[in-house]
Amino acid sequence: MDAPGPVTHGTDTLEVSLLPGRSGIGARGAISPATRRRWEQALAVLARQHADVSYLELSQVGFVDVAGVRAVALTAMNLPGGRIVVERPPPQVPRVLQMFWPDLREIEVVPR
């Protein structure tokens, strides 16, 4: 990831950090066009560190747009194996995954 701390554009803020004790990242804020670059950089870090199961902890994320969900799906599809567990995402995340990627086995969603 680039410099630590939040990225703020207008009213959207996104903070991303590595999860302590396990492979993955946690996010706080909103994933939107204004914060997309930061989100995609964080997912690239996740993919480089991936080892069988990686976690995305999204309980502190209030909104993820379709392109943000798409970035997660593409990251999962390009992993060499294993899966991404998306923990406690906003409600639109599982709906978008089901709508556009209903058979994507590389993502497991743990609801709020």
Side-chain angles (χ1 to χ4, degrees):
M1 274 173 274
D2 52 79
V7 143
T8 304
H9 294 284
T11 59
D12 286 345
T13 300
L14 180 63
E15 296 178 43
V16 180
S17 59
L18 296 175
L19 292 174
R22 59 188 175 148
S23 174
I25 57 175
R28 168 186 229 133
I31 299 166
S32 68
T35 60
R36 176 135 20 274
R37 181 171 178 236
R38 174 74 168 214
W39 180 238
E40 290 173 350
Q41 290 170 340
L43 291 172
V45 169
L46 179 82
R48 283 193 302 275
Q49 297 178 349
H50 177 72
D52 193 42
V53 178
S54 293
Y55 295 89
L56 282 179
E57 209 298 309
L58 302 181
S59 64
Q60 298 296 311
V61 173
F63 174 76
V64 181
D65 67 6
V66 173
V69 178
R70 178 182 179 269
V72 174
L74 290 175
T75 300
M77 288 187 279
N78 289 313
L79 293 175
R83 70 187 194 283
I84 294 176
V85 177
V86 181
E87 298 177 319
R88 296 180 292 278
Q92 66 270 19
V93 172
R95 287 194 301 253
V96 171
L97 285 170
Q98 182 59 38
M99 183 180 299
F100 293 105
W101 300 277
D103 299 320
L104 184 59
R105 293 188 174 127
E106 292 87 356
I107 294 180
E108 174 185 340
V109 177
V110 177
R112 291 184 178 209

